[in-house]
Amino acid sequence: SLIGGEVTILKDFPDILARLVRSDFSGDMPFSITTNFSAAPDYYQCLIKPFQTADSHKNRVLSLSASFYPEYVSIEQFSRKLREIYRFAGNKKHAFRSLFEKVGLAKRDCLSLSAGIPIFNNRDFDMFVKIKDSFKDTDIRISPIIIRKYDTDLSDETLQSYIARG
């Protein structure tokens, strides 16, 4: 698991990650990266490519998780980047295929995408619902990061309505 600071600011990070993916280790090697999505979309494509081309006998999977921080990117830019990365990775399955996959009993992709949206108040909650609904046509997981620090933060009623909606 590779988390902050922000790992995407490390100049050689894509190269280091590619070397790890190509390593001789023959077992499962899942990678989990948490980012604030401040880098350009092509940067994340560089991170994904080694997983798409991993040797067939190796199981390399990337879980890319982005947390929205409005000080780094607007919600529109964040959503656009997420969609662009999703499109880039779409239909490009992991090179690894187990016996179960060969007979059609299982499917494994090389990438899973998720995003966390911080929610401080009811307005943020409405924004989160709008964003989550805009990704219904994908398998990207959009999750709330509920922050209740002050009385003006997300109301109990809104929080309960979210819990009730699942």
Side-chain angles (χ1 to χ4, degrees), residues 25-138:
F25 181 75
S26 61
D28 289 355
M29 193 182 290
F31 292 83
S32 176
I33 298 172
T34 301
T35 177
N36 64 19
F37 254 10
S38 56
D42 59 337
Y43 180 90
Y44 300 100
Q45 292 174 4
C46 288
L47 297 182
I48 295 166
K49 278 182 185 176
F51 292 89
Q52 294 172 330
T53 58
D55 292 337
S56 61
H57 69 285
K58 296 177 182 177
N59 184 12
R60 307 290 192 256
V61 178
L62 173 62
S63 174
L64 184 60
S65 177
S67 296
F68 172 65
Y69 289 96
E71 60 268 26
Y72 296 114
V73 65
S74 73
I75 194 63
E76 292 81 13
Q77 293 168 318
F78 182 85
S79 294
R80 194 168 37 254
K81 281 184 184 182
L82 194 56
R83 280 212 179 269
E84 190 171 330
I85 293 163
Y86 179 76
R87 277 192 299 274
F88 172 78
N91 300 328
K92 296 177 183 172
K93 304 300 180 195
H94 192 282
F96 171 83
R97 294 289 180 264
S98 70
L99 174 62
F100 293 115
E101 290 170 312
K102 288 179 184 173
V103 296
L105 297 175
K107 181 180 101 181
R108 172 168 278 153
D109 293 337
C110 65
L111 176 72
S112 70
L113 284 171
S114 63
I117 310 294
I119 299 173
F120 289 94
N121 54 45
N122 291 354
R123 190 189 73 225
D124 291 346
F125 179 79
D126 293 338
M127 178 189 66
F128 162 74
V129 171
K130 183 178 176 184
I131 293 165
K132 184 172 177 62
D133 288 348
S134 76
F135 283 95
K136 278 185 179 176
D137 62 327
T138 72

Side-chain angles (χ1 to χ4, degrees), residues 147-163:
I147 301 167
R148 298 186 67 193
K149 189 173 179 182
Y150 305 106
D151 292 339
T152 57
D153 290 346
L154 189 66
S155 70
D156 288 336
E157 295 80 22
T158 303
L159 183 56
Q160 289 304 319
S161 77
Y162 175 73
I163 292 169

